[in-house]
Amino acid sequence: MKDLQNNSKNFDNRPIGFFDSGVGGLTVLDKVQKLLPNENYIYFGDTKNMPYGEKSEAQLLNFADKIFKFFENKNVKAVVMACNTTSAVTYDKLKNNYNFKIYPIIQSVSKVLSKMDIKNIGIFATDATINSHCYKKEITKYNSNINVYEIACPEWVKIVEDSQEGTSESDKLVKEKLDEMLKNSPDKIVLGCTHYPYLIDTLAKFAQKDLFIDPAINFAQYIKEDMKKYNMLSSSNDAASFEFYVSSSPENFKIAGEMFFDMKKAKINLTY
Ligand code: DGL
């Protein structure tokens, strides 16, 4: 990030960018727009290249760079990496390359997670996030006494993108990973992929709902406080505006995103 701290203005009315591989990041947009209801939001879902969790570091760097450049052209004030996978794999390498502030989900929420008074924490995430051990590294950086158990659930992303939540097949896939995790007696389990909160009702069929943490809740709070601190909030009193872009299958995005966003009125633009 360049120079935003030195900004002498008291507000910034430019839009905020959000991105993910698909509809997952809407779980974050939903929380942020509730806390910051007067901002302009631009969302990019890279549906053509999803699932990100199976991609190599080189591929993810390429996708993320392309999306950051897309947001550069949109003159945003900040970009929210509403995607754990790119936060884990690309943030450190790309963070100084653009002229706006970048908020990575994992690095922004790990401090709060580490301060919970618990012994065992579980992480459900994509293969790429789990292989990076980013959650484990970040959480234990703040609290070395906490045990972090990581399990990859790559199949869950497809369930959500294909709107298959609640089918017996998807329930089975969710339960399998949950049973594996429960062997570690976690006090809390982090839904470390932004697609997974779509499965909270499925998870709640097999365990207490309050066992699960959607990090988007703390993430939204963090973004609000940070933007306030650096005079980045909009001065507008108008209701929020939303622009959506995807790299393929806009209709699918509309259907799958409905759980977290009222998509009926939304225009989904195809780009790339
Ligand atoms: N929702 C993304 C994440 O938080 C990526 C899921 C995927 O495309 O594999 O990691």
Side-chain angles (χ1 to χ4, degrees):
M1 193 201 72
K2 294 170 193 160
D3 266 336
L4 281 176
Q5 276 94 333
N6 300 327
N7 199 339
S8 56
K9 292 185 302 176
N10 295 325
F11 55 85
D12 190 336
N13 289 345
R14 291 177 296 163
I16 306 173
F18 277 68
F19 80 90
D20 182 43
S21 62
V23 295
L26 295 174
T27 61
V28 181
L29 178 62
D30 173 59
K31 311 287 179 306
V32 174
Q33 59 100 12
K34 282 179 181 141
L35 289 185
L36 298 175
N38 309 111
E39 299 289 336
N40 300 312
Y41 297 99
I42 304 177
Y43 186 95
F44 186 98
D46 194 4
T47 42
K48 187 172 148 203
N49 293 312
M50 76 125 235
Y52 274 5
E54 296 171 3
K55 303 296 188 298
S56 68
E57 179 181 306
Q59 286 174 307
L60 292 169
L61 283 166
N62 179 35
F63 300 150
D65 179 56
K66 229 167 158 174
I67 296 168
F68 284 131
K69 286 185 175 134
F70 166 84
F71 284 125
E72 227 160 34
N73 286 330
K74 294 280 178 192
N75 191 27
V76 297
K77 60 185 167 189
V79 172
V80 175
M81 298 179 88
C83 170
N84 292 263
T85 305
T86 47
S87 300
V89 179
T90 72
Y91 173 68
D92 280 345
K93 298 215 161 66
L94 298 180
K95 63 185 174 191
N96 296 318
N97 295 1
Y98 315 94
N99 200 15
F100 42 70
K101 184 147 197 174
I102 300 174
Y103 293 103
I105 182 164
I106 302 177
Q107 294 84 344
S108 306
V109 300
S110 289
K111 190 168 180 182
V112 174
L113 296 176
S114 75
K115 300 287 177 219
M116 288 185 305
D117 192 18
I118 58 173
K119 191 89 200 93
N120 299 330
I121 190 163
I123 309 290
F124 282 143
T126 65
D127 278 316
T129 303
I130 296 300
N131 292 338
S132 76
H133 301 294
C134 187
Y135 266 107
K136 191 173 193 154
K137 285 182 202 154
E138 288 291 322
I139 292 172
T140 53
K141 185 166 94 188
Y142 300 107
N143 177 0
S144 55
N145 293 322
I146 196 161
N147 301 312
V148 184
Y149 299 97
E150 305 167 296
I151 293 183
C153 314
E155 315 82 6
W156 295 10
V157 173
K158 201 164 161 31
I159 294 173
V160 172
E161 288 289 336
D162 293 346
S163 305
Q164 292 300 305
E165 299 96 326
T167 64
S168 53
E169 183 56 26
S170 69
D171 281 11
K172 194 167 147 258
L173 289 169
V174 171
K175 187 173 183 300
E176 256 168 38
K177 293 296 165 92
L178 181 59
D179 286 345
E180 197 183 328
M181 179 61 88
L182 292 176
K183 289 182 193 147
N184 303 309
S185 309
D187 301 300
K188 292 283 176 192
I189 302 174
V190 177
L191 303 178
C193 167
T194 52
H195 281 76
Y196 299 171
Y198 286 86
L199 293 167
I200 189 65
D201 290 338
T202 307
L203 288 160
K205 286 182 193 169
F206 310 115
Q208 289 270 79
K209 209 171 188 164
D210 66 2
L211 179 63
F212 304 98
I213 297 177
D214 177 358
I217 297 164
N218 285 320
F219 191 30
Q221 197 62 43
Y222 177 92
I223 292 165
K224 180 181 174 182
E225 282 163 20
D226 192 82
M227 286 198 165
K228 196 163 173 227
K229 185 168 160 194
Y230 293 113
N231 297 329
M232 291 169 67
L233 294 175
S234 157
S235 61
S236 168
N237 291 320
D238 297 343
S241 72
F242 300 92
E243 270 177 50
F244 294 97
Y245 294 85
V246 292
S247 48
S248 77
S249 318
E251 279 313 311
N252 205 40
F253 180 87
K254 215 167 178 166
I255 296 164
E258 188 63 38
M259 189 189 290
F260 278 91
F261 210 86
D262 183 5
M263 285 288 170
K264 283 178 220 63
K265 294 171 285 184
K267 177 171 181 315
I268 316 295
N269 302 286
L270 192 58
T271 188
Y272 256 21

